Amino acid sequence: MASILKQNLNTTKLNTGVNIPVIGLGTWKSTEEMDAYNSVKCALENGYRHIDTAAIYKNEIQVGKAINDFINESGVTRDKIFVTTKLWGTQHRDPTSALNQSLERLGLEYVDLYLIHWPVSLDTENIKGSDYLCIPFLPNGKVAVDIEEWNFVKTWELMQELVATGKTKAIGISNFSINNIKELLSSPSNKIIPAVNQIEVHPLLPQDDLIKFCEDNSIAIEAYSPLGGSDAPILNEKVIIDIAEKHNVTPAQVVISWHAQRGYVCLPKSVKKERIISNQKTFILPDEDFAAISNLSKEKGEKRIVSFDFSPFDIFA
Ligand code: A2P
């Protein structure tokens, strides 16, 4: 039986006019020994052209080395690979230095996209030791937020200066709610509409309203934790398994195809070669299967996996 799967090399256009591959490799938690290096190298060798990392993942050195080794060995040029990294909360007051440090670790002259990782600045005075790539805590155990004299509008003001330096081709946001985006877009200092909002999306958190709002405002969506995050819990859902068996594909391919069909960028993470390769192969879901997956959160209730208590800052309001 001929396979219905096709390697998904599709791209979508950002509001900058640049094309971004709709399937990228996620690298959050790819931190064991050579995990990040091997997974990024494997992805690039097998056709991926989009890699997503972040300063706080603490794997930029490995990710960058894999990209550079691949470029040197394959002859594929840097401009054919889309690389994203992210500004951590302790550096909201100085994105220029933070981006320079990320580029240094990556061994790259520029990234294609630089995102504000979370909309809340963190208080550097509560950092223990010298590593600012951390979550600082108050003595009472709460996350030390820096929101009295600072906010993401000020961070965005500084982010906008980065585009002219050529060190990032585009800027965007991550984990921004509709209210926070409205505040950002309506601020007098806003001159650049974020290219992307990278958010948690999967069948148990479809984010229909936020996706529509972003699309209406020319902000592309990127789905992180598209399989439900660590150990991919979505893949154990009966409806997903049944659809996978019916079409002779993997449960992950069912879920990634659902994302692709919804028309945004999807960033599945894996450190396993076979999964990395198979996760890039998608198919068109028949209407009834697409609808059954879309219905999952209505039947079972929505479930957010990635969340921090940044109170009094209300992240998802
Ligand atoms: P591993 O890295 O060992 O392959 P998400 O992208 O939603 O964050 O999901 C990541 C989780 O899903 C990781 O635990 C990853 O494990 C697992 N995973 C990724 N691809 C597959 C796949 N094709 N089948 C099963 N699990 C997968």
Side-chain angles (χ1 to χ4, degrees):
M1 191 174 74
S3 173
I4 52 173
L5 295 164
K6 255 183 82 183
Q7 188 177 24
N8 190 329
L9 301 173
N10 295 343
T11 59
T12 185
K13 224 182 246 318
L14 298 179
N15 63 21
T16 57
V18 166
N19 288 322
I20 180 170
V22 298
I23 299 201
L25 181 75
T27 64
W28 184 29
K29 299 190 178 160
S30 298
T31 43
E32 294 296 316
E33 293 173 47
M34 296 292 283
D35 271 357
Y37 179 87
N38 289 334
S39 61
V40 171
K41 191 91 184 307
C42 169
L44 292 170
E45 284 169 356
N46 287 285
Y48 283 68
R49 291 293 177 266
H50 178 179
I51 307 294
D52 184 88
T53 184
I56 194 66
Y57 299 172
K58 305 224 179 182
N59 59 15
E60 288 175 307
I61 293 176
Q62 287 188 36
V63 167
K65 182 163 172 17
I67 293 168
N68 280 317
D69 284 358
F70 173 72
I71 287 172
N72 292 334
E73 289 162 21
S74 67
V76 171
T77 47
R78 169 69 186 88
D79 59 307
K80 299 289 187 292
I81 305 170
F82 195 100
V83 184
T84 301
T85 195
K86 310 185 192 90
L87 172 75
W88 186 237
T90 52
Q91 297 189 292
H92 273 218
R93 289 169 181 255
D94 192 3
T96 300
S97 300
L99 177 57
N100 284 339
Q101 289 157 10
S102 277
L103 291 175
E104 173 97 32
R105 286 187 292 265
L106 286 162
L108 297 176
E109 285 174 10
Y110 69 89
V111 288
D112 297 275
L113 181 61
Y114 194 48
L115 304 179
I116 300 182
H117 202 150
W118 289 87
V120 55
S121 177
L122 300 178
D123 186 0
T124 50
E125 283 183 14
N126 286 282
I127 293 174
K128 307 246 175 329
S130 57
D131 187 4
Y132 47 83
L133 293 180
C134 67
I135 300 179
F137 290 96
L138 295 168
N140 66 9
K142 292 190 65 149
V143 176
V145 294
D146 166 31
I147 56 172
E148 272 172 30
E149 290 158 20
W150 198 263
N151 64 18
F152 55 76
V153 170
K154 291 187 180 180
T155 312
W156 190 247
E157 231 173 89
L158 300 176
M159 289 281 289
Q160 294 180 87
E161 294 170 9
L162 299 177
V163 180
T165 68
K167 292 184 179 180
T168 183
K169 303 274 181 206
I171 51 173
I173 53 185
S174 180
N175 296 300
F176 270 60
S177 64
I178 291 178
N179 284 344
N180 288 336
I181 300 172
K182 280 184 181 163
E183 188 177 336
L184 186 81
L185 295 181
S186 63
S187 86
S189 60
N190 178 61
K191 297 187 178 57
I192 300 179
I193 296 174
V196 156
N197 187 18
Q198 186 180 122
I199 53 172
E200 179 181 339
V201 191
H202 45 70
L204 286 179
L205 193 67
Q207 304 258 39
D208 293 343
D209 293 345
L210 180 52
I211 290 174
K212 179 164 188 325
F213 178 83
C214 287
E215 287 172 353
D216 286 349
N217 283 281
S218 311
I219 301 170
I221 290 290
E222 295 185 338
Y224 74 72
S225 296
L227 307 176
S230 293
D231 300 325
I234 302 292
L235 306 185
N236 300 325
E237 295 292 338
K238 186 172 178 328
V239 61
I240 305 290
I241 294 171
D242 288 349
I243 294 170
E245 279 173 5
K246 182 164 80 178
H247 296 292
N248 200 22
V249 302
T250 69
Q253 287 166 330
V254 169
V255 175
I256 295 166
S257 298
W258 175 81
H259 285 290
Q261 219 156 313
R262 282 165 40 104
Y264 48 73
V265 173
C266 177
L267 302 168
K269 171 264 176 187
S270 179
V271 296
K272 304 210 166 60
K273 181 174 180 184
E274 279 185 10
R275 291 176 175 178
I276 292 169
I277 294 171
S278 65
N279 286 350
Q280 207 196 14
K281 294 183 181 151
T282 62
F283 68 107
I284 305 292
L285 286 156
D287 290 349
E288 83 237 32
D289 295 338
F290 183 84
I293 302 168
S294 302
N295 213 30
L296 195 60
S297 66
K298 293 181 195 105
E299 282 166 12
K300 300 196 71 171
E302 293 201 349
K303 188 166 179 220
R304 187 183 293 280
I305 288 150
V306 184
S307 180
F308 290 101
D309 179 5
F310 289 125
S311 59
F313 187 93
D314 194 352
I315 287 278
F316 299 117

